[in-house]
Each structure stands twice: as structure tokens, then as C-alpha cells.
Amino acid sequence: MSGLRWTIWLPLAVFAAFLALVGLQLYRPAERKVQSAMIGKPVPQFALPAASPDRPGVSTADFRDGKPKLLNIWASWCIPCAAEAPQLAELQAQDAQIVGVAIRDKPEDVAAFLAQYGNPYARIGADNLSSIQLEIGSSGVPETFVVDGQGIIRYQHIGDVRKRDVAILLDKLKEAGE
């Protein structure tokens, strides 16, 4: 008889445990920010030809000159890339050196994009197969990486750079230069 009383409370105990688990998950929400696996790792080995006739191409060696840089993955066919153009110009005006990698783009489309939205890039490489994009862990365009002067990736910004991101990227560049 006493064993029967105990089993009567078992469903209520299981339900209470379930509610406690749900409450714990609601109190402590899951991490929503994507953490790049490339943070703290060197920029992959690559050498890209120029995507624009007025700027040189890009290679891994360009990130090992002792100066921190922004590496911006973009494309002329990317609408958010046009939206971030004023912020990239602002970053350049504040002495941020920006290196671009144009993804699956045609030279004439790159030229038209830069003529319309400005050219903040010191160098622009053409990644026609998205090989560097995949090796560096970029899942789309635009994405921006902060790379220190030894070629180590220090920060990844996913999506277009907005006004609120300019100060963050400048701070990350400063940290990468220290």
C-alpha cells in the first residue's frame, strides 16, 4: 500500500522537473552570437589577382607588415554591401586601412560599384571561386575581419557595417595594433 502512494506522486515529480528545466532555459537564453573558429588564427595562405585596375591584388603577405587592417569580403551584386559603403568610407577617413576581397564578381561590375559607392580599399583581390571566403570562415557577404599586423584574425563582424559598428571596429583595430 505504501508503494502505491509513492507512484501516485511520480508523474507530478516528472512534470515539476520538466517545468524547472524549461524555467532554467528561459532564465538563461542560448548564445545567439556566432563565434568564428578563425579568431586567433592566421589568415589563410592566398594570393588573389586585382579585381580593379586601379588597386593591387591581395595576398597573405599584405597582412604581415606590422599594421592592423580590416579585411572586407564584399561583392558588387550584394545590396548590404552598398548599404555599408558610407561606413567603410568613414572608417577609411579615420585612418583604417581596408583591404577588400570581391567575391564572384566581374571587373566591370566592380568598377561600376566603386564608381557609384566610393572606393575605401587600399587593395582589392578577386575571389572568383569563393575559395578565400570559405577558408577564412565567411558565410556570406558582407563580412569584415580585423587582422593584426602579424596576420592573425582578431575579430569578425558578420553582415553589413552600420553606423553603430564603426566605433567598435575602430576599437578592435586599435586593440589589434597594441
Side-chain angles (χ1 to χ4, degrees):
M1 187 76 172
S2 66
L4 183 60
R5 285 185 174 180
W6 182 82
T7 57
I8 291 173
W9 294 102
L10 185 59
L12 183 61
V14 170
F15 184 68
F18 173 75
L19 287 178
L21 183 63
V22 169
L24 180 66
Q25 292 301 316
L26 289 174
Y27 177 73
R28 189 183 57 175
E31 179 68 38
R32 302 266 186 238
K33 187 174 181 181
V34 176
Q35 297 292 329
S36 173
M38 293 299 292
I39 303 298
K41 295 183 178 176
V43 172
Q45 290 290 324
F46 68 93
L48 297 175
S52 175
D54 66 339
R55 298 289 192 275
V58 182
S59 73
T60 305
D62 297 319
F63 296 97
R64 295 184 180 150
D65 64 358
K67 299 175 187 167
K69 295 174 183 58
L70 295 177
L71 171 59
N72 181 248
I73 309 288
W74 67 284
S76 66
W77 43 265
C78 161
I79 294 171
C81 297
E84 76 173 358
Q87 286 69 246
L88 294 180
E90 185 178 338
L91 285 163
Q92 181 196 29
Q94 296 194 38
D95 294 328
Q97 190 170 14
I98 306 171
V99 173
V101 172
I103 303 297
R104 291 176 274 129
D105 235 325
K106 297 176 184 170
E108 60 272 15
D109 294 336
V110 168
F113 182 92
L114 297 174
Q116 183 173 357
Y117 298 107
N119 188 349
Y121 303 106
R123 299 174 162 273
I124 307 173
D127 188 1
N128 296 325
L129 300 174
S130 297
S131 57
I132 300 310
Q133 180 187 25
L134 295 175
E135 283 187 46
I136 204 167
S138 170
S139 58
V141 287
E143 283 192 31
T144 303
F145 296 84
V146 174
V147 182
D148 71 13
Q150 285 71 50
I152 306 296
I153 298 169
R154 297 296 177 192
Y155 181 75
Q156 180 180 8
H157 176 85
I158 298 173
D160 57 313
V161 175
R162 298 186 178 179
K163 280 191 175 282
R164 66 177 182 258
D165 302 320
V166 170
I168 294 168
L169 287 170
L170 288 171
D171 286 346
K172 296 294 182 182
L173 268 175
K174 184 178 175 187
E175 288 173 15
E178 295 173 350

